[in-house]
Amino acid sequence: MDSNGRIHNFGAGPAGLPLEVIREVSESLPNLEGSGFGLLEISHRSKTFQKVIDDAMDSVRRVLSVPEEYKILFLQGGASLQFYMTALNILKEGEKADYLITGGWSKKALKEAGRIGDAKGVWSDELDGFKKIPKEGDFKIRDDAIYVHYTSNNTLYGTQYQNPPNSGGKALIVDASSDITGVELDISKHEIIYAGAQKNLGPSGITVVILSPWAISRIGSDIPTMLDYNVHIEKGSMFNTPNTFGIFVLGRVFKWLEKNGGMKGAINRNKEKSDLLYQELDRTDFWQPHADKDSRSKMNVTWRLNDRSLEEIFLKEALECGLGGLKGHRSVGGIRASLYNYIKKESVLALVNFMKEFEEKYAS
Ligand SMILES: Cc1ncc(COP(=O)(O)O)c(C=O)c1O
């Protein structure tokens, strides 16, 4: 447990949030901002809530340095709906889009885009177990592709782009669900950025979507209303009843980030935390890190134990020591520690100490 009696939460999402934010949320439940209406009970059409959503959008713009001409949306349906919605809004029938396949989420994005146009995976290391990110020159983008889609951080496998891929001048669309605000991200180099909130931004049930003027100019006509970006732009993300609770929490999470050094602060903390853990993983071959060194993620660290039969024992004993959420995704197995923005260094130190003791106890 941490110093507040809460578990060290290494889960892949929904992830741990700052305790200060949790407390603010609980104070707002009976009475939001002195309005007399509780947070779960207030109309999205009220002035009080309008201020909540406006403040949240302003914070997102400031923290992520979103250029003025880009639009920010808070949508529902998760990042999974964006796999389809991006292609539906941007691609016309028969048009081409190229996808870099670095894990299960990019595969899903490709599958949905294939319902709309000629979507092609132009690089994949699936046969090698999704251990790496493509390098310059590893893939060729089709001359007539409209955009290139990539997944900045592969939550399941623990790999991450250190820089955006070179799309050869084509529009870039990124699924940044599991590293947005946790590592550098130059919004102006992308045409669409989307991210489910439940890792670095707040609770599940909101997806942040950021659209460039190019993306907006491409939006087709005759798109089903709820899937049409233009509808959500025009209605300020309130065409229908939004996730009012989630938007409030997301706004508070961004305020917390602003008070704690903005993205720079988060990036430095995340580097320090992941360095600590990778140092331990590289110390002994008792551990087998999954990702290639130059593709390692600062958000999700994945590894196996040299002796696979010890993995269940590791997870059981870790939980007994207050270290939770460490089970690797079933597609990789083993252990995964997610080190999202609000996981404290204190938690990573506790994990590393546990690992050292575990190795001492079980290394033969
Ligand atoms: C990189 C990435 N993309 C997409 C998703 C799917 O997100 P959602 O559950 O919000 O649809 C996840 C969920 O973990 C993810 O990590």
Side-chain angles (χ1 to χ4, degrees), residues 18-258:
L19 188 57
E20 296 93 310
V21 171
I22 305 289
R23 293 204 166 116
E24 272 183 90
V25 171
S26 71
E27 277 163 23
S28 303
L29 285 172
N31 188 347
L32 176 62
E33 315 275 8
S35 65
F37 290 94
L39 171 57
L40 301 174
E41 304 157 301
I42 193 160
S43 165
H44 58 297
R45 304 287 175 210
S46 63
K47 275 199 180 129
T48 308
F49 185 75
Q50 187 63 51
K51 182 163 182 336
V52 168
I53 190 167
D54 289 346
D55 286 352
M57 292 230 181
D58 289 348
S59 278
V60 172
R61 194 174 287 282
R62 281 193 300 270
V63 168
L64 280 162
S65 304
V66 178
E68 207 45 56
E69 61 279 14
Y70 279 53
K71 299 284 181 199
I72 301 169
L73 301 176
F74 295 153
L75 302 182
Q76 301 185 57
S80 298
L81 183 58
Q82 293 311 309
F83 297 159
Y84 183 62
M85 226 168 133
T86 46
L88 180 68
N89 279 264
I90 303 299
L91 277 189
K92 316 248 174 324
E93 214 186 309
E95 282 186 337
K96 296 179 182 168
D98 287 354
Y99 281 65
L100 298 169
I101 308 301
T102 47
W105 297 116
S106 357
K107 277 175 74 178
K108 287 188 172 167
L110 171 65
K111 181 177 170 203
E112 296 308 312
R115 297 177 196 278
I116 309 293
D118 174 0
K120 181 179 173 191
V122 291
W123 186 89
S124 169
D125 77 329
E126 181 164 20
L127 293 178
D128 194 30
F130 287 130
K131 291 192 174 129
K132 59 178 180 290
I133 294 299
K135 292 195 183 62
E136 186 91 39
D138 282 356
F139 55 87
K140 167 129 185 44
I141 303 299
R142 289 178 289 179
D143 289 342
D144 47 357
I146 303 293
Y147 67 78
V148 175
H149 177 285
Y150 75 105
T151 313
S152 53
N153 181 71
N154 298 284
T155 326
L156 316 182
Y157 296 89
T159 59
Q160 186 172 40
Y161 285 82
Q162 315 298 314
N163 291 295
N166 182 349
S167 62
K170 303 283 180 200
L172 261 186
I173 297 184
V174 61
D175 170 3
S177 292
S178 53
D179 64 0
I180 192 164
T181 71
V183 294
E184 297 289 352
L185 174 64
D186 186 342
I187 301 285
S188 68
K189 288 199 171 132
H190 297 81
E191 307 298 337
I192 302 184
I193 300 98
Y194 64 90
Q198 63 271 20
K199 292 137 192 334
N200 273 343
L201 310 183
S204 58
I206 309 182
T207 318
V208 174
V209 180
I210 302 175
L211 300 169
S212 74
W214 176 88
I216 295 166
S217 75
R218 292 269 323 169
I219 300 171
S221 53
D222 205 23
I223 293 177
T225 310
M226 278 296 286
L227 302 180
D228 184 341
Y229 285 140
N230 267 330
V231 168
H232 297 291
I233 292 170
E234 270 166 33
K235 299 289 178 186
S237 295
M238 292 212 276
F239 168 74
N240 70 327
T241 318
N243 176 353
T244 49
F245 174 76
I247 290 169
F248 174 84
V249 182
L250 178 140
R252 295 303 150 125
V253 168
F254 270 87
K255 281 268 143 59
W256 185 95
L257 259 184
E258 291 193 277

